[in-house]
Amino acid sequence: MSYRAGEYDVIVIGAGHAGCEAALAAARMGCETLLLTINLDMVAFMYCNPSIGGPAKGHVVREIDALGGEMGRNTDKTFIQMRMLNTAKGPAVHALRAQADKFLYQHTMKQTIEGQERLTLRQGLVEDLIIEDGVCVGVVTKTGAEYGAKSVVLTTGTYLRGKVILGELMYESGPNNQQPAVKLSESLKRNGFQLARLKTGTPPRVHEDSIDFSKTEIQPGDDKPKYFSYETEYMAHSEDQIPCWLTYTSEKSHQIINDNLYRAPMFSGLIEGTGPRYCPSIEDKIVRFADKPKHQIFLEPEGRNTKEYYVQGLSTSMPEEVQVDILRSIPGLEKVEMMRPGYAIEYDAVVPTQLWPSLETKLVTNLFTAGQINGTSGYEEAAGQGIIAGINAARKVQGAEPVIIERSRGYIGVMIDDLVTKGTNEPYRLLTSRAEYRLLLRHDNADLRMTPLGHEIGLISEARYEKFVEKKNLVEAEIERLKETRFRPDEAVQAMLEAAGSSLLNNSVDGLTLLRRPELTYAHLETLNPSPITLSEDVKEQVEIQVKYTGYIEKQQIQVDRMERMEKKRIPDNIDYDIIYGLATEAKQRLSKIRPLSIGQASRISGVNPADLSILLVHLEHYNRVTAASHSS
């Protein structure tokens, strides 16, 4: 028997990293929101690596924060180590990475959700969607409770028909032995969705007291760490960071794996799903890179109040006893005690080309999906999709146009466009190389790219927006001041240049010219001619980057402007590609499947070549003329 349990504007199914961001965004935008999850004890749980950020992923966390999301703030509150990666390279690939206190992260996020107005958190296993005339109007739980909604967001992670595989052992399960969602998968299939079978995995956890750290290399955090959130000013635990440790697999490790490959599920045929190429299991690495004598292994603490260490780089589904042998063949782990074995998990995902760029499904109106259900891997990718799905679910309720992040505006836009335009046949991971405009999509300028949008949609407060505008004005004013400031070849300037290893001046130059020298920093100029007002380190950093890379930035902006002209050439949703004379058959098939919103998006579809685009443009011009003529008559 079913019963009506409540009515909401937005319902979010799943309280992982995507679900938390989706629910918070919808509630903060004024929608009565219900967040349903299988287990209240697993809200924002880190089933895999207890870390946030890294290349491209760290950029996404900053973009989420600049939009008004929670992941960055929550990480700043709960990190045990913070480190900026790739500092020897240019600013486009600088990436912040935090080691989080796994349990504190989870509990802090749950507290935020429980305290959020208009947001109800409830335990329940959703088994069916209520769909009427192609519109999703609610959900049904295992207990028979029916909840009505104007928009529904699916963020089911790896729970859909989840199956855990450990050696020869295989059983239905969500991650970390949680209950799987089986009937919801069936509901999606009944409603016409094409599902893919994917696989991911996790490494074993070991006991701290059984590790010989003297045989490993310490990996400390930064002395003066930066933070993910633009709102964070100082965290006391920055002074008490916990190191990670680096070791390597050995020749013996590789021999043990090779001797037991016949028992590895991914080679024995037990695993059906496709695994992540950029985060392979240790057995896959040994086979694919047989010439490599060793592989990096990072030992990462899971929190301040636990002895568990995460063995990063040793993801595996080998039998339990084989995992112990592998661990004990690694320097520093000769006497290690394994607390939890690693395992693989298979799950269903929605083929993402069935989504619009807003993350609303094409098959069912008012139904959105975000996170691993869309074929991605990683907490950050999930959260980035989650905030966009939550925003657009709320805007659908409010009768507003969807928010679509362009590829030139954010890594979130790159990821979503890749998914809905190209699809994926393996768990998708964001990489800096996926972003063609990465010099514009830097870690340092996420606020300049996203905060105006966050303010416009109601997720950034007036006070925060005013602070952002003040920073932007200070950067512009300081650049202008340096442009007007002359540095002459006097004794102080020449001494500074000589100490910095820079060529001496023959004539006076302005500050911008001097700052563009690779070996000079803003701090060098500041010692000679400081700003008359106190500037924050963020402002100084932004001034230096904008000045040093102005030529490259301007060139990339020209490319963006060219692509934006293609993005503005909209394609009607009802266009019939089959009747367009001259289009290649493959192009017709791909365009009909993806239904791109613009010529720009069409240009990124595999199988659509420049000749097809030219024919499509000619057809659109004719279509627009006919449409305009019919309207005028």
Side-chain angles (χ1 to χ4, degrees), residues 223-335:
D223 291 335
K224 293 182 178 179
K226 291 182 178 292
Y227 302 111
F228 277 112
S229 177
Y230 288 94
E231 291 189 296
T232 304
E233 294 182 356
Y234 174 74
M235 288 290 175
H237 50 267
S238 302
E239 314 294 332
D240 183 27
Q241 298 186 58
I242 302 176
C244 297
W245 305 84
L246 172 64
T247 183
Y248 297 87
T249 57
S250 66
E251 187 178 334
K252 185 179 178 183
S253 311
H254 297 201
Q255 188 62 52
I256 292 168
I257 291 167
N258 281 318
D259 289 347
N260 288 277
L261 276 181
Y262 71 98
R263 301 183 68 192
M266 71 173 298
F267 292 103
S268 68
L270 279 181
I271 290 179
E272 301 171 18
T274 306
R277 185 190 319 179
Y278 300 102
C279 188
S281 66
I282 187 63
E283 50 266 35
D284 193 21
K285 282 193 276 191
I286 297 304
V287 171
R288 285 167 55 189
F289 308 106
D291 57 322
K292 286 196 73 171
K294 61 183 181 179
H295 294 275
Q296 285 186 329
I297 301 293
F298 289 94
L299 305 174
E300 302 176 347
E302 296 225 321
R304 293 186 186 277
N305 300 306
T306 178
K307 295 284 188 177
E308 279 190 80
Y309 267 66
Y310 180 95
V311 188
Q312 167 71 10
L314 206 75
S315 176
T316 182
S317 56
M318 295 286 263
E320 190 170 337
E321 67 274 19
V322 177
Q323 292 189 34
V324 174
D325 290 342
I326 296 169
L327 284 166
R328 290 179 179 171
S329 69
I330 295 170
L333 304 182
E334 291 88 351
K335 297 180 180 179

Side-chain angles (χ1 to χ4, degrees), residues 472-483 533 543:
K472 186 170 179 287
N473 291 340
L474 286 171
V475 170
E476 292 170 357
E478 182 61 5
I479 290 175
E480 187 61 29
R481 187 186 74 86
L482 289 176
K483 182 180 177 181
I533 59 173
V543 168

Side-chain angles (χ1 to χ4, degrees), residues 24 29 39 309 359 404 464 525-526 536-537 540 547 549 562 597 616-617:
L24 286 167
M29 290 173 67
N39 187 345
Y309 267 66
L359 296 181
I404 296 173
R464 179 172 175 180
L525 275 64
E526 191 178 25
S536 68
E537 291 304 313
K540 295 175 186 178
V547 170
Y549 295 91
R562 189 181 302 125
L597 299 179
L616 183 55
L617 280 167

Side-chain angles (χ1 to χ4, degrees), residues 47 129 147 150 172-173 209 258 302 478 482 511 538 549:
Y47 289 107
L129 302 172
Y147 296 95
K150 296 169 185 173
E172 285 191 349
S173 174
D209 293 346
N258 281 318
E302 296 225 321
E478 182 61 5
L482 289 176
D538 276 353
Y549 295 91

Side-chain angles (χ1 to χ4, degrees), residues 556-568:
Q556 198 144 94
Q557 190 58 52
I558 292 170
Q559 296 173 341
V560 170
D561 294 342
R562 189 181 302 125
M563 179 53 70
E564 281 184 354
R565 288 195 291 272
M566 295 179 70
E567 297 293 346
K568 288 176 181 176

Side-chain angles (χ1 to χ4, degrees), residues 173-195:
S173 174
N176 208 37
N177 288 321
Q178 293 299 300
Q179 189 177 0
V182 177
K183 291 190 176 180
L184 186 54
S185 236
E186 296 169 0
S187 176
L188 288 168
K189 282 185 177 179
R190 277 199 314 274
N191 286 287
F193 285 95
Q194 182 186 353
L195 303 182

